[in-house]
Amino acid sequence: LFPILATSDSNAAVDNIAEGLHRAGIKVVRVGRAEKSQDRLEAVNLDSLVAAQRKHAKEEANAKLGEGTDAEPDSKRRKTDETNHEDNGENHGEAEGKGAGKSKGKSKGKKGKSEEQEIREIRNGILEDAEVICITTMSSGE
């Protein structure tokens, strides 16, 4: 029977519901723009939860590869960047044909997922795990 959808007309009322449920130990997710919500609810804000989960997944992947964020010296990082830049620079004249410039922010990760798809999957997982989802009435219809 979960998750339950809790709505109200105002952000303040939804924040109060979310805060009370969070304090009671209920798994609550506050959906909506963070700037419209109280700072104290960052821990249950959907966008904040997604960002934290993505960061954690990246850190885990780096740890598995033995490449922590500070493990690679700056000189090696620069050299890698320069090599990548040189490789990309050699093909400038060839990028005018079919399919040129179509990636537009939809870079694919290791498993071929776009960033948008990864975010969507994380969001869906967080919402499915919630006991209560709090959102304003206007946003709940979207």
Side-chain angles (χ1 to χ4, degrees):
L1 297 172
F2 290 105
I4 296 169
L5 182 64
T7 67
S8 184
D9 291 333
S10 73
N11 283 302
V14 173
D15 287 350
N16 288 337
I17 294 168
E19 184 176 21
L21 292 169
H22 182 62
R23 282 186 183 168
I26 294 172
K27 230 177 179 180
V28 62
V29 175
R30 171 62 163 104
V31 178
R33 295 194 321 246
E35 63 271 8
K36 294 283 188 178
S37 184
Q38 299 294 320
D39 290 338
R40 65 185 184 270
L41 292 174
E42 184 176 354
V44 297
N45 179 277
L46 180 59
D47 292 336
S48 297
L49 292 169
V50 169
Q53 196 165 328
R54 289 185 76 212
K55 181 180 178 186
H56 180 70
K58 261 185 197 173
E59 288 171 354
E60 271 189 352
N62 286 340
K64 283 182 183 177
L65 294 172
E67 296 177 12
T69 53
D70 294 317
E72 190 176 60
D74 287 341
S75 59
K76 185 176 179 183
R77 226 178 283 138
R78 254 186 261 117
K79 188 170 186 168
T80 303
D81 291 345
E82 289 168 4
T83 304
N84 289 340
H85 179 61
E86 288 170 12
D87 290 345
N88 292 337
E90 291 174 6
N91 297 322
H92 279 163
E94 299 172 14
E96 294 179 25
K98 233 179 190 179
K102 287 197 177 184
S103 63
K104 292 191 181 181
K106 295 183 181 179
S107 61
K108 302 223 178 198
K110 260 189 192 178
K111 296 180 182 177
K113 291 182 187 176
S114 71
E115 185 176 346
E116 290 173 2
Q117 185 179 5
E118 177 190 357
I119 291 170
R120 190 173 327 130
E121 288 176 4
I122 292 171
R123 288 173 65 98
N124 288 344
I126 291 169
L127 292 172
E128 287 173 7
D129 288 343
E131 293 176 303
V132 180
I133 299 169
C134 296
I135 190 168
T136 58
T137 307
M138 291 297 289
S139 299
S140 65
E142 294 177 1

